[in-house]
Amino acid sequence: MALSRNAQVLRYLLEVAPGLGRIKLAKFAYLADCEAHRYLGRPISEFRYAYAPHGPFDARRFYVAKDELLEAGFATEVAVESGPYVEYEVLPTKKPVEYGFDQAETEILRYVAETYLNHSARSLCDDVVYQTPPMKGAKVGDKLQMDRMRNEKDKDDNLGFSL
């Protein structure tokens, strides 16, 4: 079974960082697309981000991709109680996936997952996601201007690998 591009992005992120909660998984996809815009001039996914109440998100496409992974047996989801809240961790299964990424896309996805794995969802949002150029100056409800990342290419070329 061929997975959609968005489902492939989520699954690859889960392979590198298994057990991500939904919030971090969505933010990892956003950050990967930011870096892809920055270095490749285009996104990796087909998500269309808007400034939602809790940061950049494409709710409809995210949940369609996540559900695609669950229904096809490429991931499972586990409810975890966290104080008065229930969080959901998404885990990859052992079912093999054929990815359609080129080497640069794969490196960007891996870099994002490894770099931000140990951040809490709050610090990831506050210290990283909300500091990205598409989020700066945007208001809740705005479509994010991802092409603003292109202006960042020369500011910090320290990805830890060469594209």
Side-chain angles (χ1 to χ4, degrees):
M1 173 186 178
L3 289 173
S4 69
R5 183 74 166 179
N6 290 341
Q8 288 181 48
V9 166
L10 298 183
R11 172 57 195 269
Y12 190 88
L13 291 167
L14 290 170
E15 277 188 23
V16 179
L20 289 175
R22 292 174 184 172
I23 292 170
K24 284 181 71 173
L25 182 57
K27 300 316 178 231
F28 278 25
Y30 167 76
L31 290 170
D33 280 337
C34 281
E35 294 300 338
H37 270 282
R38 180 178 178 180
Y39 290 98
L40 306 176
R42 59 178 170 72
I44 297 172
S45 79
E46 296 173 348
F47 294 119
R48 301 293 174 254
Y49 301 98
Y51 192 153
H54 299 288
F57 199 45
D58 181 344
R60 186 181 63 78
R61 287 182 181 90
F62 175 82
Y63 285 109
V64 165
K66 179 193 66 75
D67 291 345
E68 179 183 349
L69 290 175
L70 297 176
E71 290 167 10
F74 290 101
T76 60
E77 195 168 45
V78 178
V80 178
E81 289 188 31
S82 177
Y85 304 102
V86 175
E87 297 178 5
Y88 294 90
E89 292 181 353
V90 187
L91 299 155
T93 63
K94 294 192 184 299
K95 189 172 183 178
V97 177
E98 278 192 44
Y99 294 109
F101 305 130
D102 62 31
Q103 185 174 0
E105 292 168 334
T106 301
E107 288 300 319
I108 289 169
L109 288 164
R110 182 198 54 75
Y111 167 80
V112 166
E114 289 178 351
T115 300
Y116 301 112
L117 177 61
N118 293 320
H119 281 68
S120 68
R122 178 172 293 265
S123 74
L124 182 67
C125 289
D126 292 346
D127 300 337
V128 181
V129 171
Y130 290 131
Q131 305 309 313
T132 59
M135 289 294 291
K136 288 183 178 177
K139 294 178 179 32
V140 172
D142 289 352
K143 179 182 176 201
L144 296 181
Q145 302 302 313
M146 299 298 287
D147 60 348
R148 292 180 65 197
M149 287 303 300
R150 292 180 189 163
N151 300 332
E152 297 295 299
K153 185 170 184 179
D154 296 327
K155 290 186 180 178
D156 178 20
D157 280 340
N158 187 20
L159 275 181
F161 62 89
S162 174
L163 293 176

